[in-house]
Amino acid sequence: MENRIREIEKMRDNLISLVTTGAVDIESSDDKFKALNDEEKYLRDQIEQQKIKAQTKTDLRLMLKTISDELKKYDDSIVKYNETAVRKVVECVKVISKTEVKITFKGGFDMTVEVEK
């Protein structure tokens, strides 16, 4: 996408040169300018969305690492319930049905799990 934006910038510069030298009529180049500008705006928006997605993934990885590190402090928490560990990493637990529970961890990460009757 970055390469295409550079190509668009070159094409726009060339078009400006053609218009300023009189080789191309300014009215006939308006549609070309608009098309180039629209494509560039679209590509820049796509790049921004990809950056946001990448940041979200990084934030999620960091949050999961923090939760994992916190749980490692409680080696016996797998066998026994530990109130302190749960309060540090779990924000909310919702019962969805008789067999499903939704757990929301601190930071907004959700997990739906099945439970045995």
Side-chain angles (χ1 to χ4, degrees):
M1 284 190 267
E2 294 285 346
N3 289 337
R4 179 62 185 151
I5 289 173
R6 284 191 287 281
E7 289 174 10
I8 290 170
E9 290 170 348
K10 287 179 186 176
M11 291 170 67
R12 195 172 33 227
D13 290 345
N14 291 340
L15 194 55
I16 290 170
S17 295
L18 291 172
V19 168
T20 56
T21 61
V24 174
D25 186 35
I26 194 164
E27 287 81 23
S28 66
S29 63
D30 283 346
D31 289 340
K32 292 177 185 174
F33 275 118
K34 183 175 178 354
L36 291 171
N37 287 337
D38 290 347
E39 184 180 358
E40 180 184 20
K41 182 183 180 315
Y42 172 78
L43 291 172
R44 291 193 187 279
D45 288 346
Q46 291 298 310
I47 290 170
E48 187 61 32
Q49 287 178 11
Q50 286 182 352
K51 287 179 182 177
I52 290 169
K53 285 180 184 178
Q55 183 61 46
T56 301
K57 286 181 182 178
T58 300
D59 292 348
L60 181 59
R61 269 190 239 117
L62 179 61
M63 179 184 58
L64 290 173
K65 171 112 174 68
T66 303
I67 290 171
S68 174
D69 291 347
E70 191 61 39
L71 289 175
K72 286 177 184 174
K73 294 178 185 176
Y74 302 95
D75 290 337
D76 64 345
S77 65
I78 294 174
V79 177
K80 295 190 302 187
Y81 176 79
N82 187 307
E83 181 78 19
T84 306
V86 171
R87 291 191 179 274
K88 285 187 176 185
V89 297
V90 175
E91 186 171 310
C92 179
V93 176
K94 292 181 184 176
V95 177
I96 306 297
S97 68
K98 290 181 179 181
T99 59
E100 282 187 317
V101 176
K102 180 179 180 182
I103 302 166
T104 303
F105 294 92
K106 305 253 177 173
F109 177 71
D110 289 329
M111 172 188 266
T112 302
V113 294
E114 287 192 34
V115 292
E116 295 179 15
K117 288 184 177 184

